[in-house]
Amino acid sequence: MKNSIVFCGNIITDQVKMISRWPDKGMLVPISSVKRSVGGSVSNTAVDFKTLDPEVAVKAVGKVGTDDNGDFAVKFLESKGIDCSMVWRTGERPTSFTDVMTVETTGERTFFNLHGADSALVPDDVDVAKLDCDIFHFGYLLLLDGMDAPDDEYGTKAARLLAKVQAAGIRTSVDIVSEQSDRFARIVRPALRYCDYCIINEIEGSLATGRKTDDLKGICEGLFGLGVKERVVVHCPEVGVTMGKAGDFVRVGSLKLPAGWIKGSVGAGDAFCAGALYALLKGMDPETLLRLGSCTAAMNLAVTDAVSGAKSYAETMALDARFERK
């Protein structure tokens, strides 16, 4: 065990904009506040993971622009102790960013994303020999144009990269962006063949497998049928479930959070993912994995941005005793 993990994929800056309600078409609603934060799979999961346990070596792999947003993202990640030696800078595209419109009363959010520098990330940018890690987490499929591109041998460029990482003896993990499209079969399924762990929500699981969103066990079975090797984790607002390759199926209800706890939900899925990955790295049992994932997500829900709610493992797991479960 190297006690290390690499997060590869989207590095984004989020402009979190708080609104009182979602407007009707053509109508105006004022923005009450704006906060810039890091976002995207790499930034969110890496920061959450490193905060859980600073002793684990965490490396980011991705591409940002040579602009102010790129400077902000890299400096922020480095300030958290994350190795950014494999975060490449390009002047050809701006750093990807997302406007996150968040309704103050409910925490519901809607995303408007610019595909920027990280869309130019391709397998040749990732020197597998220099990864030197236990787990390689890739996110997000469907939001990285260069990695989602077709590949004659593997189906997609992302699948090619994951196959190469697996061949180097590194466990692979993937996450998917929530998207209403018909691209899941073409882009997601090839990558699942080279994936040890798959950590996604019920909507993404349904779109990938064709199972109904409430058929969580069926989604897990379907993902194994598509090629996942070791463990599937599916998180929902009400419950988290996991299944191992032997067919064991475990479910744990979400925490019953008090009124006023939820300030926003941007990055909550990534927070759950970070907790699950930490449990996988440390060899924790499936129930603890789900309990930790729900606690990291709950910490995230207490803030408006994607990462400032992250706390240490002890502080995070304290929620498990503090609140009842659904």
Side-chain angles (χ1 to χ4, degrees), residues 178-193:
S178 296
E179 175 185 277
Q180 293 178 328
S181 77
D182 59 356
R183 300 197 300 156
F184 274 73
R186 176 164 47 88
I187 293 175
V188 174
R189 290 183 178 183
L192 295 177
R193 294 196 292 267

Side-chain angles (χ1 to χ4, degrees), residues 122-148:
V122 294
D124 287 345
D125 291 322
V126 185
D127 188 344
V128 175
K130 293 182 179 180
L131 294 178
D132 191 33
C133 60
D134 297 290
I135 298 175
F136 177 88
H137 179 71
F138 183 89
Y140 303 113
L141 294 171
L142 299 171
L143 200 58
L144 290 159
D145 297 344
M147 293 293 192
D148 291 337

Side-chain angles (χ1 to χ4, degrees), residues 276-297:
L277 286 168
Y278 185 75
L280 289 166
L281 180 72
K282 295 299 184 179
M284 297 177 181
D285 62 88
E287 181 174 337
T288 303
L289 179 155
L290 295 174
R291 289 180 176 273
L292 176 57
S294 64
C295 288
T296 53

Side-chain angles (χ1 to χ4, degrees), residues 206-237:
S206 174
L207 290 168
T209 63
R211 309 292 179 95
K212 294 182 179 179
T213 55
D214 61 355
D215 182 13
L216 298 178
K217 187 173 184 180
I219 287 173
C220 292
E221 292 170 341
L223 289 167
F224 275 109
L226 291 171
V228 177
K229 302 294 189 297
E230 296 293 331
R231 182 160 294 278
V232 169
V233 182
V234 181
H235 53 87
C236 318

Side-chain angles (χ1 to χ4, degrees), residues 298-321:
M299 283 296 194
N300 169 273
L301 292 170
V303 299
T304 58
D305 65 87
V307 296
S308 65
K311 297 291 188 294
S312 69
Y313 177 81
E315 291 174 285
T316 301
M317 281 301 283
L319 296 184
D320 193 45

Side-chain angles (χ1 to χ4, degrees), residues 100-179:
V100 185
M101 312 306 294
T102 305
V103 179
E104 294 169 324
T105 54
T106 65
E108 293 177 346
R109 72 266 198 251
T110 303
F111 306 96
F112 298 89
N113 175 257
L114 172 76
H115 287 215
D118 57 12
S119 288
L121 186 69
V122 294
D124 287 345
D125 291 322
V126 185
D127 188 344
V128 175
K130 293 182 179 180
L131 294 178
D132 191 33
C133 60
D134 297 290
I135 298 175
F136 177 88
H137 179 71
F138 183 89
Y140 303 113
L141 294 171
L142 299 171
L143 200 58
L144 290 159
D145 297 344
M147 293 293 192
D148 291 337
D151 183 278
D152 290 340
E153 183 177 358
Y154 292 89
T156 66
K157 299 299 183 184
R160 173 178 287 276
L161 173 61
L162 291 166
K164 189 174 181 180
V165 173
Q166 268 194 340
I170 299 170
R171 289 174 283 167
T172 58
S173 170
V174 299
D175 196 359
I176 307 168
V177 74
S178 296
E179 175 185 277

Side-chain angles (χ1 to χ4, degrees), residues 202 216 234-241 251-258 261-262 268 272 287 290-298 301 319-320 322-326:
E202 81 282 14
L216 298 178
V234 181
H235 53 87
C236 318
E238 299 296 318
V239 67
V241 303
R251 60 190 298 140
V252 171
S254 300
L255 295 169
K256 294 181 179 179
L257 300 173
W261 179 276
I262 299 176
F272 188 104
E287 181 174 337
L290 295 174
R291 289 180 176 273
L292 176 57
S294 64
C295 288
T296 53
L301 292 170
L319 296 184
D320 193 45
R322 180 179 174 187
F323 299 127
E324 295 181 353
R325 290 188 175 271
K326 297 177 181 178

